[in-house]
Amino acid sequence: MAFIVKGAAQSVKVIDSADAKPIPHATVSLGRDGVKTSEQGIASSNSWLGKELRISAVGYATKFLRIEAGENLVALVKQPTALDPVVVSGTLKPVLRSKSPIAVSLISGTQFKKIASNTVFDALQLVNGVRPQVNCNVCNTGDIRINGMDGPYTLVLIDGMPLISSLGAVYGLTNIPASLVDRIELVKGPASSLYGSEAMGGVINIITKTAAKAPKLFTELNSNSWGETSLEWAVKTKLSTNLNLLTGMNTFLFNNRIDKNGDGFTDLSQQKRAAVFTKLNGLKSQFLVRYMYEDRWGGQTNWSKTWRGSDSIYAESIYTSRLEVLGDHQFSTKLPLKLSGSYVMHKQNSFYGTTSFIASQQTGFLQLVSNKTGKRFDYLLGTAVRFNGYDDNTLLTKDSSTGKSIPTQDFIPGAFAQLEWRPTEALTLLAGARMDYHPVHGWVFTPRFAGKWNINELNTVRFSTGMGFRTVQVFTEDHAALTGARKVEFKEALKPERSTNISLQYTKTWSTNWGWWEWESNFWYSIFSNKIIPDYTTDANKIIYANNQEGVYSKGISTSLETAPIPELRFNMGVTLQDIYQNKNDRRERLMFTEAWSVNAGLSYYLNKQFTFDYSCWGYGGMRLPLQNNLDPRPAYSKPYSIHNIQISYKARKGVEFYSGIRNLFNWTPAIETPFLIARANDPFDKQVSWDPGGQPLATPNNPYALTFDPNYVFAPNQGVRIYAGCRISIN
């Protein structure tokens, strides 16, 4: 495919190769001086004769043309660019990001390398409006927050399958190796009309590498000054012309008891983790199996396993065993059909001090989807069924009369439909709806409506509105309920949460003689009903759970800029402003652990073909934190903070790369901002606490602030500066 440039000796006309239409706003440049083409695709100058010009436009391959007397001919080919990759998460079908009516954010696998991230959890720091949240100062469990909403509101998928949820979400996010990931797609806002429960706040879809595109051999080893060491490897085997097998292993070891803030507790949990996986890719099918085992603990630095579950030395010790199986097949029929399925077995054996939590969960998912693309209409029809089997040793699954465990077993069938209509070339409209049947809560209906308007080739507006829902399992989702530091109290039978959202996005892309640029701005407004908010403040000894009946609101705006002004430099920056609050007792109250603003930025500079310099940073505004009482000396709000990282990479030869860098360059930790993080770290079993007749702690000489042990005052990782180095080897 090509297009022809015709005109005067010193003029250029740019047209599309496919339909011969003029391309406005293309850049015709000589050195650093450039001229934009008109609406008719024409640009001219008096100084071009005999010179070689650079012609570029967003979405087209750049070409060079030497201007001569008479007609000038050039061929350009339309192609996807870094701005316009293929995504699947917004509509359940592959589509160029620019064509999707649903806004989709993207992290490519190459971006993981910019911070030498070992896990998906760390890499998501790079996304505007997304914050990995550490939920415990002892065991360092975490979740992913989109636009400030709690981690359980984010549905995490692997290759489109809901593998990370409920029990698995507590520690599962930190054990997905970056080496297995091809890209990560994010959809902000409710997506329950396609994905069902848990997709209230957004969707994170982790797309794993295909065996066909993987190198024959890949291995990576890195370590840092804290003693964290990771080793990954993968081998590809070509079984036949269209059948490839990728097999690999990931190990992570951290066994260094560091206590730099001097509270007697480990600053970072000790971890021993190993995972093996195999992925089979055919022409129309894929199959992935992964098994992971982890031994993790955090607590007093003199703890050993002989003290597990005792009341002498405190620690939180968690053994996790997890099996994941997923696959899909595209049928060769007149009616396009895709069958997808997954199975997850997750077992956890844990002690939080003297509180044991032994739990197992099995999740099965089966989905059949049909989609067809027409000139003006695309449709997608699907049906799905989900099985949740769960058992633990808490009151949640016990028969109150016999005391025996009664595992829960739920089948949740559902059906969904989506219609995409393009009434004009500039306008795309999408309507979708889903109906699920929950055995406890009955029928649940979730609609969605969205649209995309191309104002012109460079400016696009997207809008969407929709509903989301989720059912809640407190003990599997809220780590604070398990620590044993506070008693759990339910004021009522918890109802399923619902959300309604509206969002608007504006995107502008353009190219100049200074490269390509993309600017994006988003606005959102969400209302949550029946939201379950843990109450830490009414009683210092309790976490009280109830449905909020007065309304919870999330609103905000974000903007981001990404550019490559010169071939050697790539830069991105994002800013998010948000307001997340609840109405409680007729007054407005900001939610715990939500920041009013966040920023992130990244810069990559290619010094030459061998050396690359990377800089990244992220920062967050103050967050409201859980204090125990009015005497608690810790700040009620954290202070703003930022984390900065640098890295140098060296490509020694083809397929061999060395890198070294510094994480948390300025050695910031949350301990700097507060007199202590863990309340009563010197008395984790509250043996020296005095109590009043009502069961509340008393202020005494050895407990002047009337506190009890509590590790939940946490808003950032308590890990300071560390220097790291590593090596990657890739053989194709």
Side-chain angles (χ1 to χ4, degrees):
M1 295 174 64
F3 72 80
I4 298 175
V5 178
K6 295 183 178 180
Q10 296 184 24
S11 66
V12 173
K13 182 178 181 181
V14 182
I15 63 174
D16 190 285
S17 62
D19 54 18
K21 291 184 178 180
I23 300 177
H25 313 295
T27 302
V28 182
S29 56
L30 176 63
R32 293 295 185 185
D33 298 323
V35 177
K36 290 289 188 180
T37 58
S38 65
E39 293 296 328
Q40 292 74 38
I42 297 174
S44 60
S45 172
N46 295 325
S47 59
W48 285 351
L49 187 60
K51 305 293 180 59
E52 187 176 62
L53 306 182
R54 180 179 183 268
I55 303 175
S56 61
V58 175
Y60 294 86
T62 299
K63 293 290 184 180
F64 293 87
L65 169 68
R66 183 173 296 278
I67 298 295
E68 298 177 355
E71 293 184 339
N72 295 275
L73 303 178
V74 67
L76 292 183
V77 178
K78 209 168 191 178
Q79 65 175 22
T81 67
L83 295 172
D84 199 16
V86 174
V87 295
V88 298
S89 303
T91 58
L92 273 185
K93 61 179 183 178
V95 62
L96 289 173
R97 200 179 83 165
S98 63
K99 302 294 183 183
S100 172
I102 304 298
V104 180
S105 300
L106 190 73
I107 308 176
S108 67
T110 57
Q111 289 177 276
F112 284 71
K113 299 177 181 179
K114 298 180 185 302
I115 57 172
S117 173
N118 291 318
T119 68
V120 169
F121 186 80
D122 289 337
L124 288 170
Q125 303 271 13
L126 301 170
V127 182
N128 189 27
V130 176
R131 180 170 66 88
Q133 162 73 15
V134 177
N135 293 323
C136 177
N137 278 309
V138 178
C139 70
N140 304 135
T141 177
D143 58 36
I144 306 297
R145 299 188 172 221
I146 296 179
N147 291 340
M149 297 311 299
D150 303 27
Y153 292 81
T154 301
L155 177 63
V156 181
L157 310 170
I158 297 181
D159 290 335
M161 295 289 100
L163 297 185
I164 306 294
S165 60
S166 297
L167 187 63
V170 180
Y171 300 102
L173 289 167
T174 57
N175 65 55
I176 302 174
S179 61
L180 186 60
V181 179
D182 177 68
R183 67 186 189 276
I184 299 175
E185 299 177 4
L186 294 100
V187 177
K188 300 177 183 178
S192 291
S193 66
L194 278 185
Y195 296 105
S197 179
E198 300 176 47
M200 284 185 69
V203 171
I204 296 175
N205 192 4
I206 301 167
I207 311 295
T208 60
K209 294 177 180 177
T210 63
K213 295 182 180 180
K216 291 182 179 179
L217 172 65
F218 171 83
T219 184
E220 179 173 358
L221 172 66
N222 66 53
S223 186
N224 65 31
S225 55
W226 275 51
E228 296 172 286
T229 301
S230 174
L231 173 63
E232 303 176 11
W233 61 264
V235 177
K236 181 176 75 173
T237 305
K238 192 174 184 64
L239 302 178
S240 67
T241 304
N242 297 314
L243 196 60
N244 293 276
L245 182 68
L246 183 66
T247 304
M249 183 175 184
N250 165 263
T251 59
F252 179 82
L253 175 64
F254 176 65
N255 196 27
N256 192 9
R257 306 184 186 200
I258 296 176
D259 178 24
K260 294 196 174 184
N261 62 13
D263 62 3
F265 276 68
T266 54
D267 293 344
L268 185 66
S269 62
Q270 315 295 285
Q271 299 172 47
K272 297 177 182 178
R273 180 169 62 247
V276 293
F277 71 88
T278 184
K279 184 173 186 180
L280 183 69
N281 279 100
L283 193 60
K284 296 183 178 181
S285 304
Q286 69 170 349
F287 183 73
L288 171 67
V289 179
R290 192 172 78 99
Y291 175 77
M292 184 277 301
Y293 180 80
E294 181 183 69
D295 178 355
R296 170 195 297 247
W297 75 269
Q300 293 180 286
T301 54
N302 59 338
W303 183 85
S304 67
K305 290 187 178 182
T306 57
W307 301 106
R308 194 172 193 258
S310 74
D311 66 350
S312 298
I313 302 175
Y314 186 91
E316 297 180 3
S317 171
I318 304 98
Y319 304 146
T320 302
S321 178
R322 180 177 177 85
L323 174 68
E324 302 169 354
V325 181
L326 67 85
D328 61 59
H329 178 73
Q330 184 76 51
F331 290 95
S332 300
T333 59
K334 291 184 179 180
L335 183 66
L337 290 173
K338 185 176 183 179
L339 180 66
S340 305
S342 65
Y343 169 78
V344 179
M345 181 278 295
H346 187 107
K347 293 186 177 182
Q348 181 174 320
N349 180 326
S350 49
F351 270 92
Y352 300 87
T354 58
T355 302
S356 69
F357 181 65
I358 314 298
S360 64
Q361 181 179 34
Q362 297 185 70
T363 302
F365 184 79
L366 193 65
Q367 178 174 274
L368 183 65
V369 176
S370 172
N371 70 83
K372 192 168 185 179
T373 301
K375 186 174 181 181
R376 293 291 183 187
F377 291 92
D378 298 353
Y379 75 81
L380 183 141
L381 300 173
T383 181
V385 62
R386 184 169 180 169
F387 167 74
N388 290 326
Y390 179 78
D391 191 18
D392 65 24
N393 62 334
T394 71
L395 296 177
L396 181 70
T397 58
K398 279 189 178 180
D399 186 308
S400 57
S401 59
T402 64
K404 293 183 178 180
S405 178
I406 304 177
T408 60
Q409 295 183 345
D410 296 330
F411 283 92
I412 307 174
F416 54 91
Q418 179 176 275
L419 177 66
E420 191 173 319
W421 176 37
R422 294 177 292 277
T424 69
E425 291 187 5
L427 183 64
T428 302
L429 300 175
L430 181 144
R434 183 182 181 112
M435 182 72 78
D436 290 274
Y437 182 77
H438 194 279
V440 177
H441 306 296
W443 293 103
V444 182
F445 177 68
T446 49
R448 176 170 72 164
F449 181 74
K452 177 178 69 73
W453 175 36
N454 290 332
I455 302 173
N456 53 41
E457 291 289 334
L458 305 179
N459 299 274
T460 303
V461 175
R462 290 180 174 87
F463 63 92
S464 67
T465 182
M467 299 180 66
F469 81 98
R470 78 182 190 104
T471 56
V472 181
Q473 290 182 326
V474 167
F475 289 99
T476 65
E477 296 175 358
D478 190 353
H479 170 267
L482 298 172
T483 61
R486 299 185 184 213
K487 294 180 180 179
V488 175
E489 179 179 304
F490 297 95
K491 292 183 66 175
E492 59 191 356
L494 300 180
K495 301 175 183 178
E497 298 181 331
R498 302 298 299 258
S499 69
T500 303
N501 167 274
I502 184 170
S503 62
L504 185 68
Q505 182 196 70
Y506 169 68
T507 304
K508 181 178 180 63
T509 58
W510 69 99
S511 63
T512 70
N513 57 308
W514 287 93
W516 59 261
W517 302 70
E518 180 180 68
W519 174 50
E520 179 181 295
S521 289
N522 297 271
F523 165 80
W524 77 89
Y525 185 81
S526 300
I527 302 173
F528 296 85
S529 58
N530 292 333
K531 189 177 188 318
I532 298 166
I533 304 173
D535 180 359
Y536 295 89
T537 58
T538 300
D539 190 323
N541 296 313
K542 295 180 179 179
I543 306 174
I544 303 172
Y545 293 92
N547 289 109
N548 179 286
Q549 304 296 334
E550 298 182 67
V552 176
Y553 304 87
S554 170
K555 56 185 177 181
I557 187 170
S558 66
T559 187
S560 61
L561 176 69
E562 185 172 4
T563 178
I566 57 176
E568 300 82 11
L569 177 66
R570 184 160 183 167
F571 173 77
N572 66 273
M573 182 176 183
V575 179
T576 296
L577 305 176
Q578 59 190 18
D579 186 15
I580 303 168
Y581 61 94
Q582 66 171 323
N583 291 325
K584 184 177 181 181
N585 301 325
D586 296 322
R587 65 184 180 88
R588 176 169 160 162
E589 182 180 82
R590 185 170 165 187
L591 294 193
M592 293 279 187
F593 306 110
T594 59
E595 69 277 14
W597 59 264
S598 65
V599 298
N600 70 336
L603 180 149
S604 294
Y605 186 74
Y606 300 91
L607 303 172
N608 53 43
K609 292 183 178 181
Q610 290 181 298
F611 285 94
T612 303
F613 171 79
D614 290 295
Y615 163 79
S616 61
C617 73
W618 44 82
Y620 304 101
M623 306 172 203
R624 181 168 166 253
L625 301 172
L627 299 182
Q628 290 196 20
N629 55 47
N630 293 330
L631 298 176
D632 196 327
R634 296 173 293 182
Y637 285 82
S638 64
K639 292 183 180 179
Y641 73 94
S642 62
I643 302 294
H644 302 258
N645 318 283
I646 58 172
Q647 177 179 284
I648 290 285
S649 303
Y650 170 64
K651 293 183 178 180
R653 60 179 64 182
K654 187 176 181 180
V656 179
E657 181 178 11
F658 298 94
Y659 58 88
S660 182
I662 303 176
R663 297 284 297 271
N664 197 355
L665 182 62
F666 301 110
N667 198 30
W668 182 90
T669 65
I672 296 173
E673 312 290 351
T674 180
F676 53 87
L677 291 171
I678 301 175
R680 297 289 294 172
N682 63 316
D683 182 24
F685 299 99
D686 295 332
K687 294 181 178 181
Q688 301 175 32
V689 176
S690 299
W691 310 89
D692 67 14
Q696 298 300 306
L698 291 170
T700 60
N702 72 346
N703 188 15
Y705 306 120
L707 301 178
T708 58
F709 175 73
D710 188 2
N712 296 309
Y713 183 96
V714 56
F715 58 96
N718 193 30
Q719 191 175 16
V721 62
R722 58 258 191 221
I723 302 171
Y724 64 86
C727 175
R728 301 184 186 100
I729 300 175
S730 180
I731 300 175
N732 290 306

